[in-house]
Amino acid sequence: MNYQAFAGTVTAINDFSIGQYNEIGCYKLYSVDNGYGNVVNFVVAPTTYFVNQEVVSVGDQVIGFYDANAPAPLIFPPQFNALIMYKNAPGQFLKVDHFDGQLVSSDHMLQLNLSPSTKIILQNGQPFTGNLGNRNLIVVYGATTRSIPAQTTPYQIVVLCS
C-alpha cells in the first residue's frame, strides 16, 4: 500500500450514502482544508482506523491517510477513502509507513528504537507479540535525533496486519 497523507482542519462532517442500501450514519464525508486553499474530502467508513480512538469534530486539526494507488473519482475537491485518521496532539508526531528489518521507514527518514515503555498493539487494541520488521506500522512519537535517518523511541506502534 502506498500511504499518502493530507493534513489540515476539518471544516465539515456530513453523512455520506454509498450503494443501494443507503446506510445513513455509517459513512461520513470529512472535508479537510490545509489552510493554503487545498481541500480534500475523506470518505470515513466504519473500518477507518482512528488513532487512539479519538473523536474528530469540525475545527480539529487532523491528518488523513489514504492509499495513493487506489482508484479515486476525478472530481474536485479530491475524494479519498480514509484508511487512517489522526487527531493532532501537542508534542506528538505520526508516521504511517513500511518499516524494514532494522525498523527504518521506506523513505529512510525515521528509525525506531524500541523501549520497554513502547506500547505495541494491533488495530483492535490487543498486544502484538511478533517481529515488527518488514511491516506497515502506525508510529506515534515525540522527540527525534537530528541524524539521517532521525531516530526516535516511539510512544506507541500500531501494527497494520494485511
Side-chain angles (χ1 to χ4, degrees):
M1 202 167 297
N2 182 6
Y3 292 102
Q4 294 296 315
F6 185 83
T9 303
V10 177
T11 58
I13 299 174
N14 296 300
D15 285 327
F16 187 74
S17 176
I18 66 158
Q20 64 185 1
Y21 299 108
N22 204 15
E23 295 183 12
I24 298 296
C26 290
Y27 292 81
K28 300 288 184 185
L29 193 66
Y30 285 33
S31 294
V32 179
D33 184 326
N34 72 354
Y36 298 102
N38 298 317
V39 175
V40 164
N41 287 330
F42 284 109
V43 176
V44 176
T47 56
T48 301
Y49 181 75
F50 282 77
V51 177
N52 297 325
Q53 296 182 335
E54 291 280 352
V55 175
V56 173
S57 303
V58 171
D60 287 342
Q61 296 289 317
V62 299
I63 304 172
F65 291 86
Y66 59 95
D67 182 359
N69 294 336
L74 294 174
I75 58 174
F76 185 82
Q79 180 175 296
F80 302 113
N81 291 324
L83 301 174
I84 300 161
M85 294 294 292
Y86 175 70
K87 182 177 173 180
N88 291 357
Q92 289 188 355
F93 304 97
L94 187 82
K95 183 149 188 96
V96 179
D97 204 348
H98 183 83
F99 286 79
D100 67 15
Q102 285 71 47
L103 300 181
V104 176
S105 62
S106 67
D107 61 3
H108 303 286
M109 297 303 290
L110 188 65
Q111 181 172 9
L112 308 180
N113 298 319
L114 303 180
S115 82
S117 65
T118 301
K119 183 178 178 183
I120 303 171
I121 59 173
L122 296 167
Q123 285 179 272
N124 63 9
Q126 298 305 302
F128 176 78
T129 56
N131 184 348
L132 288 176
N134 297 307
R135 293 186 180 271
N136 292 328
L137 306 174
I138 300 171
V139 180
V140 181
Y141 63 98
T144 63
T145 63
R146 293 184 181 262
S147 60
I148 297 178
Q151 296 184 33
T152 190
T153 302
Y155 303 131
Q156 176 177 290
I157 297 173
V158 179
V159 179
L160 300 172
C161 295
S162 302

